[in-house]
Amino acid sequence: MQYIKGLEAYEADGRSAVTLGKFDGLHLGHKKLTDMVKEYGRQDDIKSIVCAFDMSVLWEKKGISREVLMTKDERRNHLEEEVDCLVDCPFTEEFSRMEAEEFIENVICNIFRAAYVVVGTDFRFGHGKRGDIHMLQAYARKYDYELIVIEKERREGHIISSTYIKQILKEGNMPFVCELLGYPYGLQGVVEHGKKLGRRLGFPTFNVAPAREKVMPPNGVYLNRVQVDGVWFDGIANIGVKPTVSDEERLLVESYLFDYSGDAYGKEVQIELLEFCRPEQKFADVEEMKKCVAGDIAFGRQYFEMAAD
């Protein structure tokens, strides 16, 4: 997959099938869009493109702090084998002032040379969000593209959206989050050096700090899987601040892997959070903590053994 930062950096070498939006989380609703551009790209032998609006530029300028389900790097990795091209489009003040027809002419037609435009029913664009699917359809013949509008995906009476998934994630319901996304929720990051207390206690762990903007489930112990050097390992993880042994407030994901014995410091790993086990707690002493963690590990091993049967 080709990764491009900024619309001005994209150079068209033919027509394309393009979908546009924020694409925070790449949930099942987004997958319908990306699958469609992928299919049109394949059948017409044209480029399949995801154009993702990067709202962080505008949010930072306005002093708005927003949590995201997926960082830009995570989105890039997730789409790697899915489409031909991912274009990260910084949503600047200037870009937000672009009139709707100007957006169709300059972005959809001139930049992407779109043969197919694939969007959801609520797609809005242009200054003041004046553009919608009706306007896209009205200009389709003039700018020589076919509009494909995809209905919203629903679960349990709710439209699947990033906002709804964040709500479920904050409740710690990881299996339902997985169902809404179509894959386990997780994060990627670099393994840090810690105090090596886990190693001294007999369960060495990986410390990974989530990205500042990454939305996380409640602090606590989770069943998880971690990919190291392309290989997946089962284990358990604690999300939190380790109140028994630390006074720091810095959030970390601390994973113990059942069958890993290598040195992962400085390596980028992928973590999947599968099930919430219990809340993070402060123990009376390290020995009490060690006993509880041993129980967590035993439960985790049993869970994955049963899942493998």
Side-chain angles (χ1 to χ4, degrees), residues 6-19:
L7 290 174
E8 68 284 350
Y10 179 80
E11 296 181 3
D13 55 2
R15 303 297 298 276
S16 73
V18 61
T19 183

Side-chain angles (χ1 to χ4, degrees), residues 3-261:
Y3 173 72
I4 296 171
K5 187 173 177 62
L7 290 174
E8 68 284 350
Y10 179 80
E11 296 181 3
D13 55 2
R15 303 297 298 276
S16 73
V18 61
T19 183
L20 310 98
K22 297 176 186 175
F23 294 101
D24 177 18
L26 290 174
H27 51 65
L28 288 179
H30 293 141
K31 182 169 172 53
K32 292 172 70 173
L33 300 173
T34 58
D35 283 351
M36 188 64 72
V37 296
K38 182 178 179 180
E39 175 58 25
Y40 278 112
R42 184 197 61 78
Q43 76 175 28
D44 282 21
D45 194 24
I46 57 177
K47 191 171 288 187
S48 55
I49 301 173
V50 171
C51 178
F53 300 139
D54 178 9
M55 306 301 294
S56 63
V57 177
L58 198 59
W59 291 341
E60 288 173 8
K61 186 171 183 178
K62 293 184 176 182
I64 300 172
S65 178
R66 294 281 178 89
E67 292 181 310
V68 298
L69 291 168
M70 183 174 274
T71 66
K72 286 183 283 188
D73 285 342
E74 289 168 351
R75 179 171 58 210
R76 178 179 178 178
N77 289 343
H78 191 87
L79 288 173
E80 186 63 45
E81 303 298 327
E82 298 301 313
V83 293
D84 295 321
C85 184
L86 168 62
V87 179
D88 264 335
C89 173
F91 204 89
T92 61
E93 192 78 42
E94 180 183 3
F95 185 78
S96 72
R97 290 196 296 267
M98 187 183 296
E99 294 298 334
E101 185 176 354
E102 184 184 0
F103 179 89
I104 296 174
E105 180 178 5
N106 291 348
V107 177
I108 291 176
C109 180
N110 294 341
I111 293 177
F112 291 126
R113 295 184 59 195
Y116 302 94
V117 178
V118 182
V119 294
T121 54
D122 62 348
F123 180 66
R124 304 300 292 265
F125 61 95
H127 183 62
K129 297 183 179 180
R130 296 190 183 107
D132 58 13
I133 58 172
H134 304 293
M135 185 175 186
L136 280 173
Q137 187 60 65
Y139 283 92
R141 178 173 294 182
K142 177 179 179 179
Y143 292 106
D144 189 28
Y145 60 80
E146 181 180 340
L147 176 66
I148 298 93
V149 179
I150 304 297
E151 291 293 329
K152 294 294 183 181
E153 191 74 9
R154 296 175 179 268
R155 285 294 185 281
E156 298 188 1
H158 290 271
I159 291 174
I160 296 179
S161 68
S162 297
T163 300
Y164 181 53
I165 294 172
K166 288 174 186 177
Q167 175 187 327
I168 303 301
L169 183 64
K170 292 287 190 180
E171 297 170 1
N173 189 344
M174 305 314 294
F176 192 34
V177 170
C178 178
E179 181 181 339
L180 297 173
L181 289 172
Y183 55 89
Y185 188 73
L187 67 149
Q188 65 186 50
V190 175
V191 179
E192 303 179 357
H193 284 279
K195 297 180 180 178
K196 297 184 173 61
L197 177 62
R199 187 176 298 276
R200 295 197 298 271
L201 295 177
F203 40 85
T205 57
F206 290 9
N207 290 328
V208 175
R212 178 179 54 85
E213 69 273 22
K214 179 86 174 180
V215 60
M216 295 297 292
N219 288 5
V221 175
Y222 292 78
L223 300 172
N224 78 334
R225 298 173 71 234
V226 180
Q227 187 185 57
V228 189
D229 295 328
V231 180
W232 286 98
F233 296 89
D234 300 331
I236 62 168
N238 183 78
I239 298 175
V241 295
K242 300 185 283 189
T244 305
V245 297
S246 175
D247 293 327
E248 296 182 17
E249 292 298 319
R250 185 167 176 253
L251 188 74
L252 288 172
V253 180
E254 189 177 17
S255 298
Y256 170 72
L257 307 186
F258 301 146
D259 301 307
Y260 182 80
S261 58

Side-chain angles (χ1 to χ4, degrees), residues 292-308:
C292 188
V293 172
D296 295 333
I297 292 172
F299 173 75
R301 286 188 180 277
Q302 183 181 31
Y303 172 91
F304 286 108
E305 286 172 3
M306 292 176 63

